[in-house]
Amino acid sequence: MDMKKRIHLELRNRTPSDVKELVLDNCRSNEGKIEGLTDEFEELEFLSTINVGLTSIANLPTLSKLKRLELSDNRISGGLEVLAAKCPNITHLNLSGNKIKDLSTIEPLKKLESLKSLDLFNCEVTNLSDYRENVFKLIPQLTYLDGYDREDKEAPDSDTEAYGGQDDDDDEVEEEEEEEEYDEEAAPGDEDEEDGEEEVEEEEDISGEEEEEEELNDGEGDEEEDEYEEERGQKRKRDPEDDDDDEEED
């Protein structure tokens, strides 16, 4: 997909001024230039054009609110002075994987007064002697170079700080809302479980009553059999006497 078509898709049901984040990674650029991006994207704060074949950013529009710019894995070799003129408020700039060979190429970046983080991984300039020391001298406002500060301490995760970050209070509110939603969804299930337990108890009670009735019935049956046996025994005892009485009468 080419870059212009991708931008068109991003604008469905929106106007350029509504867009604060624009990701164009792996799109095809037109002759190595950004195409379809205009000054109308006046609220844009984050722009990512990774691996789009850029050779120049000369036609980059004025984006005064842009804070983070991703240009890694392209073929940019110069022309960085346009950034100070069109995107003066950049705080994070990623130029890793480009064709930047010497310090003079990045010298225009010292005019970006808000620049805090710069990435030049896999650029030839990183092979120069005293590379880090010289870059920090060249761009004194810089805090992190290739993810580390002047003392070689690793930079914290600054994605939320760079763009689209939320306050801790907002995160807590979202967590509370998620917990409330979970509790509401779980409540019916708890009731079902309680109902199920009550039904099981009722079944146990019913089965218990049935067992008691069966035991009573069995007991009554045994008593009847015992009475019957007693009657038969008495009859047997009386029969010989009756026979003797009959003989005497004769």
Side-chain angles (χ1 to χ4, degrees), residues 11-238:
L11 291 177
R12 286 179 301 180
N13 302 320
R14 293 194 296 175
T15 63
S17 60
D18 294 329
V19 181
K20 290 187 176 182
E21 176 182 6
L22 188 58
V23 178
L24 305 174
D25 299 348
N26 302 311
C27 293
R28 295 188 302 273
S29 61
N30 182 22
E31 296 181 355
K33 298 179 181 180
I34 296 174
E35 185 182 31
L37 193 63
T38 67
D39 295 344
E40 294 178 316
F41 289 83
E42 55 189 6
E43 298 295 324
L44 196 63
E45 297 179 8
F46 174 80
L47 175 62
S48 183
T49 56
I50 298 173
N51 188 34
V52 297
L54 290 181
T55 57
S56 171
I57 56 173
N59 66 333
L60 188 70
T62 299
L63 303 170
S64 60
K65 292 188 178 182
L66 192 67
K67 294 179 180 179
R68 180 170 176 173
L69 179 58
E70 295 279 346
L71 295 169
S72 59
D73 298 327
N74 286 291
R75 300 194 298 273
I76 298 170
S77 59
L80 300 181
E81 59 275 0
V82 72
L83 293 176
K86 296 185 176 182
C87 309
N89 294 309
I90 288 178
T91 60
H92 293 68
L93 177 62
N94 191 341
L95 288 166
S96 59
N98 280 280
K99 297 184 177 300
I100 298 173
K101 299 180 180 181
D102 50 54
L103 294 176
S104 62
T105 303
I106 63 172
E107 186 175 3
L109 300 181
K110 66 183 180 181
K111 294 182 180 180
L112 293 171
E113 297 179 358
S114 300
L115 188 62
K116 294 180 180 180
S117 176
L118 174 64
D119 287 324
L120 296 168
F121 287 117
N122 297 324
C123 292
E124 290 186 37
V125 67
T126 61
N127 297 323
L128 298 176
S129 59
D130 300 324
Y131 152 72
R132 289 181 56 79
E133 182 181 351
N134 289 327
V135 172
F136 278 118
K137 285 182 180 179
L138 185 64
I139 311 173
Q141 71 272 29
L142 202 61
T143 303
Y144 299 107
L145 175 62
D146 301 332
Y148 292 86
D149 64 11
R150 288 177 172 81
E151 305 300 325
D152 287 333
K153 293 181 180 179
E154 189 173 3
D157 185 3
S158 58
D159 289 342
T160 54
E161 179 185 349
Y163 173 76
Q166 293 179 328
D167 295 336
D168 293 338
D169 293 339
D170 293 338
D171 292 338
E172 290 176 0
V173 170
E174 286 186 358
E175 289 176 0
E176 290 176 359
E177 290 177 351
E178 289 176 357
E179 288 176 359
E180 288 176 359
E181 290 177 358
Y182 176 79
D183 291 340
E184 290 175 358
E185 291 175 356
D190 295 338
E191 292 176 359
D192 293 341
E193 289 179 1
E194 292 177 358
D195 294 341
E197 291 175 358
E198 290 177 359
E199 289 177 359
V200 170
E201 291 177 358
E202 289 177 359
E203 290 177 359
E204 290 178 352
D205 293 339
I206 292 170
S207 61
E209 292 175 358
E210 290 176 354
E211 289 177 359
E212 290 178 0
E213 289 178 359
E214 288 177 359
E215 290 177 358
L216 291 173
N217 293 332
D218 292 341
E220 291 175 358
D222 294 338
E223 290 177 0
E224 290 177 356
E225 289 180 1
D226 293 340
E227 291 176 358
Y228 177 73
E229 292 295 334
E230 287 178 1
E231 290 177 359
R232 289 181 63 186
Q234 290 175 359
K235 286 181 179 181
R236 287 173 182 172
K237 288 178 182 179
R238 288 197 300 269

